[in-house]
Amino acid sequence: AAAVTSLLKLEAHYARRGITRVTEMMAERGPVDMLSVWRKAQAQGLSVLCGIYQTWTGGRDPYGMPELSDDEKTGDARIAGVKLFSDGSVSAKSAKVRVPYADGTTGESLIDDEVFRAAFAWAKRNGVQVSIHVMGDATLEHILELVEPLEPWMEGVPSVRLEHASFVPDDLLERILAVKAGIGITTQPIFPFAEWPAYRASLTEARLSEVMPLAKLAGTDLPLALSSDAPATTWADPDDVFATLQSATTRVDASGRSFGAGEAVEMRTALSLYGARAARVMPALSPYGFGGTMRPGERADFMRLSEDPLAVPGADVRRVKVLATVSAGVLRYGELG
């Protein structure tokens, strides 16, 4: 009951930010079953849709977690995938990298090949995605060695999604594009924006210019999405969409210094990474689909904004305010005017 009550409080929080769909990336079946919590909250009025990714706890056993029912994989809250961790973080210098950090260390891999293969087999059998936390390029290379032999098991979306993908050298990007099972990527320029003291202490200037290579990734046809990774981000308002849009389009951190201007993208591109292109990363949510567009047949989710983001310089985009949020055709916040 307490968990449901807490979740219901997020209705207003998300509506003020224009957020109508989220993913929960570290759920477990246990004393507090998050699928049940989400569904109970939705029954009591929560309009936010949720794709839930369960942390893999099956070890090396491909049957080490309970099988999913069709009911668990459908609806406005559903199990969308299973989550694995391959390394740590850039800010803590624990992500396994090819090029050493400023102090000469290279981080640590958390990959156990047999554990990963067991999770892949479970996900394929249950028809859900595999999501992998990966920040370092050394661990990304190892992941590719494991996924390259796989045949696709999802329709319309990649079978594998990579969270963060902080360093993607050209040779690894070429391999990502060739993976038969399909790979989608979420990335977070809000990390070097918000955690700039740790990023600048961890990385050389040359390496800092390569982190979160958004322009490089956006220049491909990969399913790609921007994400806040809230609440893991240290920024005071981590799921402020406009803070991420600012960092993506300017590549200027919170201290006012550049972290690789060459990887900035145009505002139109950044907006697509919260909309239509982002929708290609994960399975559809709700019977109406998740196309990230306004067209007949789509669930009517949209925002009224104080200004057109396309007409606002990237450095000023955080001044844009959400004046109204409509979800499933119902006004959830503000006034339509």
Side-chain angles (χ1 to χ4, degrees), residues 4 56 58 92 94 159 199 208 227 268 322:
V4 173
W56 176 251
S94 53
S159 299
Y199 272 74
L208 189 63
S227 161
R268 189 176 298 277
V322 176

Side-chain angles (χ1 to χ4, degrees), residues 53-91:
Y53 289 74
Q54 295 181 328
T55 304
W56 176 251
T57 57
R60 297 182 173 185
D61 181 1
Y63 293 89
M65 280 176 46
E67 304 294 288
L68 297 175
S69 67
D70 288 341
D71 175 68
E72 290 175 304
K73 296 183 289 183
T74 56
D76 289 349
R78 64 176 67 176
I79 305 298
V82 63
K83 179 76 175 288
L84 292 161
F85 290 85
S86 71
D87 61 6
S89 69
V90 173
S91 57

Side-chain angles (χ1 to χ4, degrees), residues 192-231:
F193 168 83
E195 300 174 23
W196 62 267
Y199 272 74
R200 292 189 176 277
S202 300
L203 302 175
T204 63
E205 197 65 31
R207 195 64 162 158
L208 189 63
S209 71
E210 300 172 356
V211 74
M212 305 290 176
L214 190 57
K216 177 192 288 191
L217 295 173
T220 72
D221 191 43
L222 281 171
L224 179 65
L226 285 171
S227 161
S228 67
D229 204 50

Side-chain angles (χ1 to χ4, degrees), residues 3-4 7 32-42 46:
V4 173
L7 196 54
V32 179
D33 178 75
M34 288 312 300
L35 177 59
S36 176
V37 169
W38 270 94
R39 287 181 170 178
K40 288 177 181 178
Q42 288 173 339
L46 180 67

Side-chain angles (χ1 to χ4, degrees), residues 9 11-19 321-323 325 333:
K9 293 178 182 178
E11 174 76 10
H13 172 88
Y14 284 133
R16 287 195 300 272
R17 286 154 179 77
I19 296 171
K321 304 299 181 186
V322 176
L323 300 181
T325 299
Y333 167 75

